[in-house]
């Protein structure tokens, strides 16, 4: 497996990012991968990139974007005022799935969370993503809480 490089996403990466988000059974139901991309993706990109507690990170193999995830760093009053890192929107290119890209992405993300002084890394994944659940468990994540959402 080629060692990946990581960087903050640039607006020019949005087409590849949205393409990866839409390239799975759940993502294709909620994303709009069309050209030009809907303006909402550009607005979200600007909101994320202007927030010092949000990072949209791409994983690159030979300068080609092959993975993406968003990290949000949140201060909490609980846990003695500790910080948490939340990882969401994780995707790898279908061309590299099963080749260790996801593992390298999470190793990098966990290191980044430590750099930012976080005491925990948390994530959510759809219960229908059984392969993802097994992957996260192999990385040491535990389902310690029951997550709930309210669609608005």
């Amino acid at each position: 497996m080629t060692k990946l490089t990581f960087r903050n996403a640039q607006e020019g990466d949005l087409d590849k990012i949205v393409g990866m988000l839409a390239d799975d059974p759940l993502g294709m139901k909620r994303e709009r991968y069309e050209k030009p991309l809907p303006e909402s993706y550009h607005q979200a990109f600007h909101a994320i990139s202007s927030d010092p507690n949000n990072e949209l990170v791409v994983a690159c193999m030979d300068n080609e974007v092959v993975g993406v995830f968003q990290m949000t760093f949140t201060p909490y009053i609980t846990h003695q005022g500790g910080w948490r890192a939340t990882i969401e929107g994780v995707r790898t290119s279908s061309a590299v799935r099963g080749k260790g890209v996801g593992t390298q992405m999470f190793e990098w993300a966990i290191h980044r969370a430590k750099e930012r002084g976080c005491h925990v890394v948390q994530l959510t994944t759809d219960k229908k993503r059984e392969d993802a659940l097994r992957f996260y468990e192999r990385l040491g994540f535990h389902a310690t809480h029951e997550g709930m959402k309210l669609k608005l």
Side-chain angles (χ1 to χ4, degrees):
M1 171 88 238
T2 302
K3 184 154 175 60
L4 301 175
T5 58
F6 296 89
R7 62 174 171 78
N8 287 329
Q10 301 166 355
E11 194 164 8
D13 299 322
L14 278 179
D15 185 70
K16 181 70 175 181
I17 291 169
V18 176
M20 286 188 294
L21 293 173
D23 186 25
D24 81 5
L26 296 177
M28 69 178 49
K29 293 177 184 174
R30 60 182 173 225
E31 303 303 336
R32 285 183 48 205
Y33 183 55
E34 55 194 47
K35 295 187 183 191
L37 286 176
E39 185 58 29
S40 58
Y41 290 109
H42 294 277
Q43 291 170 353
F45 175 82
H46 290 291
I48 293 164
S49 60
S50 67
D51 181 344
N53 288 319
N54 268 287
E55 296 178 2
L56 185 62
V57 178
V58 291
C60 300
M61 182 183 298
D62 300 324
N63 294 320
E64 179 186 347
V65 173
V66 295
V68 65
F69 57 92
Q70 181 175 341
M71 292 187 76
T72 303
F73 303 99
T74 310
Y76 281 77
I77 292 298
T78 61
H79 294 271
Q80 302 172 40
W83 283 74
R84 296 180 191 194
T86 303
I87 302 173
E88 293 288 335
V90 179
R91 290 294 190 289
T92 58
S93 168
S94 57
V96 298
R97 286 188 192 137
K99 297 182 178 176
V101 170
T103 299
Q104 285 188 60
M105 287 170 50
F106 270 84
E107 288 170 350
W108 188 93
I110 291 165
H111 178 74
R112 180 71 179 125
K114 289 176 182 177
E115 284 181 339
R116 290 283 306 250
C118 296
H119 70 92
V120 71
V121 176
Q122 59 190 21
L123 58 85
T124 62
T125 190
D126 195 295
K127 291 181 179 184
K128 296 175 188 147
R129 295 185 188 277
E130 294 175 3
D131 289 341
L133 287 166
R134 284 190 295 275
F135 170 72
Y136 296 136
E137 288 170 350
R138 278 196 314 272
L139 292 174
F141 286 85
H142 302 281
T144 60
H145 292 68
E146 186 69 27
M148 302 174 79
K149 293 185 179 187
L150 174 65
K151 292 277 188 181
L152 302 177

